[in-house]
């Protein structure tokens, strides 16, 4: 490659995948496929380490030198990367499974504790010829994928690896003959591979249960075999949880057909599992496999030692025609032996994002599943899912059920993981039959949606398929000696290229299958055609599936204006909802954009009534799986939904297609009317009002029970569609509407628990739904469609109003018809729904329905159990009676005589006097301006008092600090100059804010020794040198700033890398002290940055390498990061380009963030930043600002405690931000475990922001957030103002530390024992549970200062270091000459030349290097 400048380097260097390629994997060719995890690791066996360069490897084989004529680096390879740490909690302590067959709802907390991503592949002999070579090749491939897995803190306990093969009868017959049992009858023998309790007595108990079931089923146990293993290769942590591993051989005489034999073994396993679940040792019994065809050898092992651990795998008698191999990287740091893969059918690389919904739906269909092959024993197969198992294990269980019930593996996977067939460019040409197949099943089985590469085998067929997005790599190739290989990367098996006769890669939704008995290989088209031709799906669909025809919108209002107003008041609308949300959607056809953050209290802390939806926050993808980009990847997304009964999935027939299909879930009045008249649906309307004549107490609960009974009765009487409606001709004061979300959730949960949910769909006909978040909540908790009748009426009223008519007539507003206004509203809802789905990486609304992808803040367990079972509600909250009271406070407004003649403005979005409290309010900003501009301590004290007396606004306001120590003098406390070094400012991009603000903030932070953040807009190189030309506070270099000093630097110490990569060049990266990877943003997690076109000035466009005036919307943050390994690779790349810079990863608080942070820590990050939902933004959809992300208090607590539990806390600095305003916030964050503290909006306020909240319009009156020259000229701020502010904050911290009796911040970090709940009375409830924040799992082993001062994590010795040490190359860089070099390169060498690019960029900038390095 010829490198003319550092700018070229980034384009010309591809990232090389892999590491730890064992020597028999090596070739002179480069194996390039995809980005894997960190560097090679130590070979522990002989205590020797593999070295790079000349020398001898651990096998005693002389290694090639990397560079002919170059001295090889003699450093040990990779063991210095202490990065891939992973400490398992030894005590798994999972709760006992209930043996009660009644369906239980999937619990999000169970699901969140299991996340993973992996490397997989299979090898199959097309002649169906069993050989040991297949097994040894699979083990070789596994060894070459060591980088795909995680590893324990002992660096020896893997997250899991395994092999699935055919049963090695030669090996087992040999053993049987030695035991005197005699050779097995292969047709009638089943082999069970089992993990049993370690304790001998418990093991005997378990074996007696197994024997009992086999005997009861008429199966003869022929023998038990202790599987021979080498425990010495097992890591310390894995050994502590290692089970006893045995095989059981059973004879099945009563069946002759292989499928029946497999079914009998399946029933036996299910009965054993059910019986074991009530025993204390139940969790210690696990069948890796129980089959007549396949066997699984797996464990919590590194892939390269799997073959050494199981002696069987080394035995030449172990022969198989197929092998599926798998290496696991568990983001969750408590890997368990049973969760290693392959599972019983599948090896899964990926993440199922809809798992909670999938589990609920599988449990719902337990009562309806019937098939003659089970001979009436279906009940014994339950349960069909286990929330405590991983998503992979549950998908495997669903596939197993379908296959054992008679489906082929290919059909089962087409059904569970369908391709995006609607907008497919070639599918209709190549295999149109598949469209009918997918249409037929779409309404019966919700897709298991998420990035997935699935390898599968039932012993007769082996194959692989990819999810609809194709977000996992999969290559396949076939050789002339009739062997087929599929792998998640190339180069894992030594390959003679001349033998390859076919190769390719699986694309999105594609499948490849090998039929072993016939030796045929079926590529995607053939597989799909064969499956789709099994039944006349097209005919069935045509005759039975009914499409709902679009109905016209109403062309006039139904109610008069006063009645509309009363309804809006009673159902909880505010004037902001009508004007900013509904009217804006009706006029523009898109969601309104707003700015700043969500600085009002959480709904449960607010003194004002909120609609129930406001207690729910949308979940979003970060790290373990990618968000989807709805703008650029819309092809794979669909809002289609089917209504009607979902029949027995195990049987096929025309009646299963008898459903109604909707193109999207938003119904108008005419469409709802058509559904009510559909003769097959037998629709039942259930009114949702509760009666308070006898008082509020118990009224809501009583009505909900009655509603659920009515739904139950309607479904049992044949209704296939329940319409829950709060529509009424006349509202009654004593019959308020039940919050529709509560009604939908309660009916949904009741029908699941009573086995009726598959019999009917739920539609909400409601006034209480007008924003995208509200639609998403209703769908997420079970509604298939919504008719927002009052929102549509409001659209019509707005269009017909005199004001609107006049604005349109005078051209001040685009003209839309009354029908168009309603269409626009529905279009905005649809776009908003796609955005919400995509945040979680979900493509299909049908999979989102009932998936409960939300967290709850402020509802008590009583409400959760009745309507939202399985959702996480960490802090408890309202009871049903308290919720009834809140609903009533809206309802009474519709009947009060003195109700205003117009809607009240609650002030939830915009600050207004008398409205909801906003943390950033005009009085607060005035007090702060006074303090920092006058440098007045007394004015800062007034500002502090204002904050101390504010209403409860955030969770930390519910706590105060206590101490058992005597106060000390402030003089003994660490100085303010030391404390401010822990302060950072938020990632505000140049573009979102003006150049003046951005530079003033950077200069102030550099004066203090803190850190400012560039945000995602790049940075002007003029800012990277200290100023030397300042006279009277002005500098010709930065003429637009005042208050400067010689020695000031305007560089941002933290430079951000975001998904749009705006302004990211080698020079930008090389000039950073820290590099931040923005995975999520507090104000809009799961979405990319947004810069309105009018803010893209010529200067901004130059820095971002874009065009002036063109709006810039980044893809969802790093949606190119499909898994934890990909993030680890980006961290590696950044450490490669700039080895001096610490790399931070910015996450947003949500349940499960501890698990994610553990994975990030294993990926070698130096810093993890936790942002709260209340962070600011320059521009974002309103619903994103308001309804996504959680409070940082919970996110920080979970992260800090999970990292401590897993021994990872010392590896990373924890930084937190979101709504920080004072020293009190710093102290609270410190006590909860943070080392560093981020200030965003308040830093802007200190430099002059007046919180006009019009950043997104480019009209900021003080030039803080505008690119308009005339407004920027008004910028009032000085760097000194911000310096003053941070010094005051630090002094406040010192004062409190002195009162508490502590000398330094180090002494209180993580000490939650210093917290106590404040005696504060909340308006809505006294039932908040703060115990989670108060809990403590211990302290880090190091002090915070030691954690902060540790060296930058290293990539270890890399090829680039050897190159840079070469005199000729060093000389060429120094003197800008030309040099030609040749180097040997392997998979282990990743991001090659990245470091060279960094060195050149630091010295010459992006285009200044005149020399040339030709490295081949």
């Amino acid at each position: 490659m010829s490198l003319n400048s550092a700018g070229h380097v980034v384009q010309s260097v591809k990232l090389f995948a892999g590491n730890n390629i064992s020597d028999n994997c090596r070739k002179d060719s480069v194996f390039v496929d995809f980005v894997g995890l960190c560097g090679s690791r130590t070979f522990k066996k002989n205590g020797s380490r593999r070295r790079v360069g000349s020398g001898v490897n651990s096998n005693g084989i002389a290694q090639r030198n990397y560079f002919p004529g170059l001295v090889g680096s003699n450093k040990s390879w990779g063991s210095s990367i202490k990065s891939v740490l992973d400490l398992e909690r030894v005590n798994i302590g999972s709760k006992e499974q209930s043996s009660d067959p009644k369906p239980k709802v999937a619990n999000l907390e169970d699901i969140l504790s299991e996340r993973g991503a992996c490397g997989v592949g299979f090898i199959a002999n097309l002649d169906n010829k069993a050989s040991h070579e297949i097994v040894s090749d699979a083990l070789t491939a596994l060894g070459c994928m060591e980088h795909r897995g995680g590893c324990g803190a002992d660096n020896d306990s893997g997250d899991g690896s395994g092999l699935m093969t055919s049963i090695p009868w030669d090996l087992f017959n040999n053993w049987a003959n030695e035991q005197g049992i005699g050779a097995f009858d292969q047709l009638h023998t089943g082999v069970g591979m089992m993990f049993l309790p370690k304790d001998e007595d418990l093991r005997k108990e378990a074996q007696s249960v197994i024997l009992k079931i086999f005997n009861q089923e008429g199966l003869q146990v022929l023998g038990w075999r202790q599987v021979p293993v080498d425990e010495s290769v097992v890591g310390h942590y894995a050994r502590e949880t290692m089970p006893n591993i045995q095989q059981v051989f059973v004879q099945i005489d009563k069946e002759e057909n292989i499928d029946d034999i497999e079914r009998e073994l399946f029933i036996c396993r299910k009965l054993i599992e059910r019986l074991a679940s009530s025993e204390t040792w139940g969790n210690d019994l696990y069948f890796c496999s129980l089959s007549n065809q396949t066997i699984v050898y797996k464990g919590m092992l590194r892939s390269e030692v799997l073959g050494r651990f199981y002696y069987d795998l080394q035995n030449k008698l172990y022969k198989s025609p197929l092998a599926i191999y798998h290496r696991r990287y568990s983001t969750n740091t408590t890997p368990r032996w049973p969760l290693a893969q392959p599972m019983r059918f599948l090896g899964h690389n990926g993440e199922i994002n809809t798992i909670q919904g999938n589990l609920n739906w599988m449990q719902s269909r337990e009562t309806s599943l019937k098939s003659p092959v089970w001979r009436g024993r279906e009940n014994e197969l339950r349960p069909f899912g286990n929330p405590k198992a991983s998503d992979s294990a549950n998908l495997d269980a669903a596939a197993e059920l379908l296959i054992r019930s008679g489906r082929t593996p290919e059909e089962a996977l087409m059904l569970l993981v369908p391709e995006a067939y609607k907008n497919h460019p070639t599918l209709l040409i190549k295999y149109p039959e598949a469209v009918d197949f997918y249409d037929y099943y779409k309404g019966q089985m919700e897709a298991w949606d998420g990035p997935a590469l699935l390898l599968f085998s039932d012993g007769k067929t082996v194959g692989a398929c990819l999810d609809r997005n194709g977000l996992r790599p999969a290559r396949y190739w076939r050789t002339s000696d009739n062997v087929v290989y599929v792998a998640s990367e190339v180069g894992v098996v030594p390959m003679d290229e001349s033998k390859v006769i076919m190769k390719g890669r699986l694309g999105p939704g594609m499948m490849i299958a090998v039929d072993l008995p016939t030796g045929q290989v079926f590529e995607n088209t053939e597989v799909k055609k064969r499956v789709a031709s099994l039944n006349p799906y097209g005919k069935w669909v045509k005759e039975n599936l009914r499409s709902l025809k679009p109905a016209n919108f109403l062309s006039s209002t139904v109610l008069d204006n006063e009645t509309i107003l009363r309804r809006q008041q009673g159902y909880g609308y505010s004037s902001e909802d009508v004007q900013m949300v509904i009217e804006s959607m009706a006029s523009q056809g898109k969601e309104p954009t707003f700015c700043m953050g969500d600085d009002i209290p959480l709904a449960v802390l607010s003194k004002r009534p909120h609609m129930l939806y406001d207690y729910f926050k949308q979940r979003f993808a970060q790290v373990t799986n990618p968000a989807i980009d709805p703008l650029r990847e819309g092809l794979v997304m669909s809002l289609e939904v089917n209504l009607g009964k979902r029949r027995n999935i195990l049987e096929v027939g025309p009646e299963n297609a008898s459903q109604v299909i909707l193109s999207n879930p938003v119904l108008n009045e005419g469409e709802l009317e058509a559904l009510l008249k559909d003769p097959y649906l037998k629709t039942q309307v259930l009114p949702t009002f509760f009666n308070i004549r006898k008082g509020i107490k118990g009224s809501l609960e009583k009505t909900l029970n009655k509603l659920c009974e009515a739904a139950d009765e309607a479904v049992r009487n044949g209704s296939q569609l329940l319409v829950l409606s709060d529509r009424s001709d006349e509202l009654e004061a004593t019959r308020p509407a039940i919050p529709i979300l509560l009604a939908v959730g309660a009916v949904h949960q009741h029908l699941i628990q009573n086995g009726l949910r598959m019999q009917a769909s739920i539609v909400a006909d409601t006034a209480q739904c007008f924003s995208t978040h509200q639609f998403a909540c209703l769908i997420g908790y079970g509604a298939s469609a919504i008719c927002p009748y009052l929102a549509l009426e409001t659209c019509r009223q707005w269009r017909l109003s005199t004001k609107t008519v006049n604005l349109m007539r005078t051209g001040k507003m685009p003209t839309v018809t009354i029908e168009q206004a309603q269409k626009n509203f529905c279009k905005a809802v649809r776009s908003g729904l796609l955005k919400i789905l995509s945040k979680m990486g979900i493509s299909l609304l049908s999979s989102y329905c009932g998936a409960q992808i939300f967290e709850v803040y402020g509802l008590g367990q009583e409400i959760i159990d009745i309507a939202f079972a399985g959702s996480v509600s960490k802090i408890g909250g309202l009871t049903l009676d308290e919720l009834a009271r809140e609903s009533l406070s809206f309802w009474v407004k519709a009947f009060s005589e003195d109700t205003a003649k117009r809607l009240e403005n609650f002030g939830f979005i915009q600050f207004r006097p008398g409205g909801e409290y906003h943390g950033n309010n005009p009085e607060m900003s005035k007090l702060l301006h006074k303090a920092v501009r006058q440098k007045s301590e007394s004015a800062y004290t007034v500002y502090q008092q204002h904050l101390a007396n504010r209403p409860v606004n955030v969770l930390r306001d519910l706590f105060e600090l206590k101490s058992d120590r005597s106060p000390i003098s402030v003089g003994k406390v660490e100085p303010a100059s030391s404390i401010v070094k822990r302060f950072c400012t938020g990632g505000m991009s140049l573009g979102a804010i003006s150049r003046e603000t951005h530079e003033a903030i950077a200069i102030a932070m550099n004066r203090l020794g803190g850190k400012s953040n560039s945000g995602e807009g790049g940075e002007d190189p003029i800012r990277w040198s200290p100023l030397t030309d300042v006279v009277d506070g002005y500098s010709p270099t930065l003429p637009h700033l005042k208050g400067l000093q010689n020695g000031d630097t305007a560089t941002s110490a933290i430079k951000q890398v975001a998904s749009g990569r705006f302004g990211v060049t080698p020079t930008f990266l090389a000039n950073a002290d820290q590099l931040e990877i923005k995975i999520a943003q507090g104000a809009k997690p799961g979405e990319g940055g947004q810069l309105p076109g009018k803010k893209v000035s010529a200067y901004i466009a130059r820095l971002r390498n874009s065009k002036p005036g063109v709006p810039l919307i980044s893809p969802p943050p790093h949606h190119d990061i499909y898994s934890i390994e990909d993030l680890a690779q980006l961290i590696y790349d950044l450490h490669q380009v700039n080895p001096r810079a610490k790399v931070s990863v910015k996450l947003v608080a949500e349940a499960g963030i501890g698990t994610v942070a553990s994975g990030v820590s294993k990926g070698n990050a130096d810093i993890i930043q936790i942002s709260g939902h209340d962070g600011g933004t320059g521009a974002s959809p309103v619903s994103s600002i308001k309804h996504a992300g959680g409070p940082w208090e919970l996110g920080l607590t979970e992260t800090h405690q999970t990292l401590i539990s897993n021994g990872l806390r010392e590896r990373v600095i924890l930084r937190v931000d979101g709504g920080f305003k004072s020293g009190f916030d710093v102290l609270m964050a410190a006590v909860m475990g943070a080392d560093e503290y981020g200030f965003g909006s308040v830093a802007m306020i200190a430099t002059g922001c007046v919180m006009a909240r019009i950043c997104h319009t480019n009209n900021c009156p003080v030039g803080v957030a505008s690119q308009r020259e005339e407004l920027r000229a008004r910028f009032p701020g000085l760097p000194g103002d911000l310096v003053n502010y941070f010094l005051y904050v630090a002094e406040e911290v010192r004062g409190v530390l002195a009162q508490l009796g502590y000398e330094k911040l180090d002494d209180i970090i993580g000490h939650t024992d210093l917290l106590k709940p404040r005696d504060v009375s909340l308006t809505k409830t006294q039932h908040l549970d703060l115990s989670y924040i108060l809990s403590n799992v211990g302290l880090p082993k190091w002090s915070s200062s030691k954690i902060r001062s540790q060296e930058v994590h290293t990539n270890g010795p890399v090829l680039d270091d050897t190159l840079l040490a070469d005199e000729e190359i060093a000389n060429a860089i120094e003197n800008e000459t030309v040099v030609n070099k040749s180097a040997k390169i392997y998979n282990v060498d990743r991001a090659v030349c990245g470091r060279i690019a960094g060195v050149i960029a630091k010295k010459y900038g992006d285009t200044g290097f005149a020399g040339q390095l030709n490295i081949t």
Side-chain angles (χ1 to χ4, degrees), residues 101-121:
K102 187 173 179 180
K104 289 274 193 304
V105 169
N107 190 319
L108 182 61
E109 292 206 0
D110 291 333
I111 290 163
L112 287 177
S113 67
E114 289 303 339
R115 298 281 186 86
C118 331
V120 288

Side-chain angles (χ1 to χ4, degrees), residues 41 44 84-88 146 149-160 233-241 299-303 305 327-328 335 337 1162:
R41 61 181 80 257
K44 294 239 173 155
V84 193
L85 282 181
D86 167 19
L87 237 175
E88 300 88 16
E146 183 60 30
C151 208
D154 52 16
N155 256 352
D156 244 359
S157 299
D159 284 357
V233 301
V234 181
H236 170 72
Y237 295 102
R239 197 174 307 147
E240 290 193 13
T241 57
M300 215 166 93
L301 305 158
R302 288 188 297 121
S303 48
V305 301
R327 173 64 165 116
R328 186 165 190 250
W337 281 74
K1162 286 197 277 179

